Amino acid sequence: MSSFHDLSIEERLQLTRRGTAHYSGQLALIDNADFGRDTLLEGWSVSHLAAHVAYNAAALCNLMEWAETGVEHPMYSSPDARGTEIEYGATLIPDAIRNLHDHTLVRLDVAWRDASEEAWSHEVKTAQGRTVPASETLWMRTREVWIHAVDLNVNAGFADIPEVILSTLLPEIAGKWRGGGLGKGLVLVNTDTDERIEVSGTPTTEVRGNLQGLARWATGRGGRGVNEDAPQPPRWL
């Protein structure tokens, strides 16, 4: 499978910007009066999800500042700060959330646009404690906007997500399961290509479908596009 990480910085930026525009377009289709309705994420309204995506952009700006200056600037001030921020953001009126969205995505795009060549390779630490080059922020944001565009539950779907993103996402999820001791015996089979991703242990359970269906299932967004007897997937985030 081709990988997002094999692309040039400029190519990755283009995919991320496309995803941002796609997500923003979905958010624009939701009336202010509907910001209290459910999304595909259990327990999260449109207000919760939109606030989360906006604050995520601000958190990634912190990592780019760290990469550019060399001064440690974590994504969040504490382990609890992310959740507290989202709960606060969800209480804002819809127009305030839209303004927050617009402001933070521009800040992040400018941080990427102005990043020095050295900054892209500077190591920073994610909220999960992983040490990664700052270029990883492009993948973190790409994954965020393309999937959450679907979660807004307007009219976006996994068919809208570019293949290179899905083909990077699927083995990453399998790797997270493997690292957490989850998904033993699971095998993901791409019925379009016959490619197989074995999670761990002796293969006992096949989940079959095209790339879109497998990604939808693996991210916990439903079983459409995979075999009807596919089990519930393990959590990946």
Side-chain angles (χ1 to χ4, degrees), residues 145-191:
V145 290
W146 283 103
I147 294 177
H148 285 327
V150 178
D151 291 332
L152 286 172
N153 199 21
V154 183
N155 58 29
F158 275 78
D160 299 315
I161 303 177
E163 182 176 331
V164 68
I165 295 173
L166 297 178
S167 63
T168 305
L169 180 64
L170 204 55
E172 177 186 273
I173 293 173
K176 285 181 179 291
W177 290 340
R178 193 178 299 120
L182 303 172
K184 290 183 179 178
L186 278 178
V187 183
L188 312 184
V189 182
N190 185 334
T191 52

Side-chain angles (χ1 to χ4, degrees), residues 77-234:
S77 59
S78 72
D80 297 329
R82 174 181 173 274
T84 301
E85 205 170 47
I86 293 167
E87 289 302 322
Y88 165 74
T91 68
L92 299 174
I93 62 172
D95 281 341
I97 295 175
R98 294 188 198 276
N99 289 339
L100 180 68
H101 165 74
D102 292 342
H103 176 68
T104 56
L105 75 83
V106 169
R107 275 185 61 209
L108 181 56
D109 198 60
V110 169
W112 283 331
R113 183 198 68 190
D114 295 344
S116 63
E117 189 172 340
E118 295 77 17
W120 286 116
S121 58
H122 194 287
E123 289 190 337
V124 294
K125 190 172 291 186
T126 71
Q128 289 75 38
R130 291 188 305 126
T131 299
V132 297
S135 58
E136 182 79 2
T137 59
L138 294 171
W139 172 242
M140 293 163 69
R141 187 62 174 174
T142 293
R143 191 178 62 192
E144 187 89 5
V145 290
W146 283 103
I147 294 177
H148 285 327
V150 178
D151 291 332
L152 286 172
N153 199 21
V154 183
N155 58 29
F158 275 78
D160 299 315
I161 303 177
E163 182 176 331
V164 68
I165 295 173
L166 297 178
S167 63
T168 305
L169 180 64
L170 204 55
E172 177 186 273
I173 293 173
K176 285 181 179 291
W177 290 340
R178 193 178 299 120
L182 303 172
K184 290 183 179 178
L186 278 178
V187 183
L188 312 184
V189 182
N190 185 334
T191 52
D192 288 338
T193 63
D194 289 330
E195 289 180 281
R196 296 167 60 88
I197 299 176
E198 297 185 3
V199 179
S200 66
T202 303
T204 56
T205 305
E206 284 193 356
V207 179
R208 304 177 62 84
N210 61 19
L211 186 58
Q212 296 162 17
L214 290 172
R216 184 186 298 110
W217 173 83
T219 57
R221 268 69 178 181
R224 184 165 59 87
V226 299
N227 46 298
E228 290 184 0
D229 59 347
Q232 282 292 110

